[in-house]
Amino acid sequence: MGYEIKEAYKVLCDQLADRGIDVDDVKAKLKAQDVETPSWAYADGGTRFKTFKQPGAAITYQEKFADAAQVHKFTGICPRVAVHVLWDFVDVEISEVVEYAKSVGVGVGAINPTVFEQEEYMYGSIAHPDPKVRQKAVEHMLDSVEIGRKTGSNFLSLWFADGTNYPGMDDFVDRKHRVEDCLKTVYDAMPETMTMGIEYKLFEPGFYHTDIADWGMACKFAEKCGPNAKALVDLGHHARGVNIEHIVATLIDEGRLAGFHFNNARYADDDLTFGSVNPYEGFLIYNELVKAEAADPDLKIAYMIDQSHNVKPKIEAMIQTVEAIQYTYAKAMCIDRERLAKAQAEMNIVDCENIVSQAFFTDVRPLLHTVREEMGLDPEPLQAFRDGGYQQKIAEERGIRDSGGGLG
Ligand code: PSV
Ligand code: MN
């Protein structure tokens, strides 16, 4: 560690001690952080206008896992890869995927059934008026539960493109009942150790309504299934201006927060890298998480990334995101909770806000630098990845190719 960083670390430790914060506890939490990266973020992705091809972008599951393993190698906190069943498990033995993942140093994470790409799903999957189509979607989800059993993955991550495009196209309540029935069938087939994460999204591809449009609907559907069904918060799936940290706090209090799909959005479901557009939003969300963790150290929340790196180099973008998540978590742990509680009790609103923002403006980089060194990692993951030459190697070996890619 350079002299300047050592000095900065000491100054930071003093600052945190003044705020009544146990630095060792913060470091232990940062070392235990666990964030899943998605297989599809390593493949070429794009917008509805164009999918730009990048040299070295992954196509096969082997390439995706190998790329994800680089992110884990340099950050130390991304040991699993979320998979999309029809993008990653076509014509393969599940055991082979598990073995391959292990061989490169990662594991299989959340299982995402893919129920939105086939022709039959033009009018929806589990909300579709035709019982045959619903059955197809349910069977695929039941297969996904089996994949979870075989891979040892205990998170079933559900997102549906179901919705309508025009008023009168279908009946809201009939569709709601179809969704309830299908989800319950899948839930009942899950092992007790599995969590069902129900993702909501206010629009797209349905532009008039979506069947699971917001956190309240996801929560209601979850309640109808059982205790292991919960809402999954993708940061890009809200209307602009919505207070996501409030949603997070409410879901935690209700015992219904399954986890996150981290990304950042400015206009819609932009799938930009976390913290790039609105870092303060991420910080305020983490503030709720830090409080909830302190109240219940056994709280189980699945932290996952769901981004589409259509213009940034994919592995670099992922490392940049993971670093942003680490800094955000660390900053949220820098809030002087005692002073905040006192200011809140006194209704000293100016101080309340300042105590929170003081943490946001704290430079936690020396802390992460130290944490990484203590974990046996290079303190600068992005630079270390660049110096490793992996990107040049895959660019040369794989070149520019036609590939599937994901929605993001
Ligand atoms: C849908 O927009 C979504 O957020 C869901 O999580 C999908 O599984 C993923 O993106 C597909 O890229
Ligand atoms: Mn998502």
Side-chain angles (χ1 to χ4, degrees), residues 40 84 87 112-113 116 157 159 199 201 204 232 234 237 261 263 269 271 306 406-408:
W40 54 95
H84 234 295
W87 298 341
N112 292 249
F116 45 83
S157 193
W159 177 69
E199 197 171 345
K201 183 169 178 175
E204 197 189 40
L232 175 67
D234 183 314
H237 288 193
H261 274 182
N263 51 51
D269 188 20
D271 276 323
D306 185 7
L407 283 178

Side-chain angles (χ1 to χ4, degrees), residues 12-244:
L12 179 60
C13 287
D14 289 344
Q15 274 176 358
L16 297 188
D18 282 348
R19 295 181 205 169
I21 293 160
D22 176 350
V23 179
D24 287 335
D25 179 56
V26 171
K27 288 201 305 191
K29 290 197 166 110
L30 289 168
K31 287 174 193 170
Q33 218 182 345
D34 182 308
V35 182
E36 254 180 39
T37 74
S39 68
W40 54 95
Y42 302 101
D44 276 326
T47 65
R48 72 180 86 180
F49 302 105
K50 168 87 180 150
T51 295
F52 293 104
K53 297 181 185 71
Q54 290 188 20
I59 295 182
T60 63
Y61 77 80
Q62 290 94 333
E63 291 170 349
K64 293 173 190 169
F65 277 96
D67 293 359
Q70 287 287 306
V71 177
H72 182 48
K73 177 178 169 190
F74 291 103
T75 63
I77 64 159
C78 301
R80 287 177 316 284
V81 185
V83 288
H84 234 295
V85 175
L86 292 189
W87 298 341
D88 297 315
F89 288 103
V90 182
D91 297 331
V92 287
E93 286 296 325
I94 309 295
S95 56
E96 274 173 34
V97 181
V98 175
E99 274 313 302
Y100 183 80
K102 219 161 113 193
S103 76
V104 293
V106 287
V108 177
I111 310 293
N112 292 249
T114 320
V115 283
F116 45 83
E117 284 186 327
Q118 282 133 319
E119 284 300 320
E120 294 93 321
Y121 296 138
M122 183 164 174
Y123 305 122
S125 61
I126 59 171
H128 198 288
D130 183 344
K132 285 201 291 299
V133 177
R134 299 202 294 277
Q135 186 59 26
K136 178 184 162 97
V138 166
E139 272 164 24
H140 178 65
M141 287 191 279
L142 294 175
D143 290 347
S144 303
V145 170
E146 276 318 298
I147 294 177
R149 276 186 218 270
K150 289 183 184 152
T151 55
S153 171
N154 56 13
F155 198 94
L156 186 72
S157 193
L158 303 180
W159 177 69
F160 304 98
D162 289 54
T164 58
N165 276 41
Y166 297 96
M169 198 175 133
D170 199 1
D171 185 89
F172 291 144
V173 177
D174 286 349
R175 292 178 71 93
K176 175 173 176 286
H177 293 164
R178 294 172 204 145
V179 171
E180 284 167 2
D181 286 351
C182 293
L183 289 179
K184 182 78 174 114
T185 306
V186 176
Y187 183 87
D188 288 343
M190 287 185 348
E192 268 177 28
T193 49
M194 191 175 263
T195 298
M196 173 188 275
I198 304 175
E199 197 171 345
Y200 56 89
K201 183 169 178 175
L202 87 157
F203 84 109
E204 197 189 40
F207 290 113
Y208 172 59
H209 102 289
T210 47
D211 288 287
I212 311 178
D214 66 20
W215 70 274
M217 295 184 204
C219 204
K220 273 279 158 216
F221 284 123
E223 282 166 3
K224 295 220 158 115
C225 286
N228 291 343
K230 300 174 184 187
L232 175 67
V233 180
D234 183 314
L235 301 190
H237 288 193
H238 306 85
R240 295 311 89 198
V242 162
N243 184 333
I244 304 176

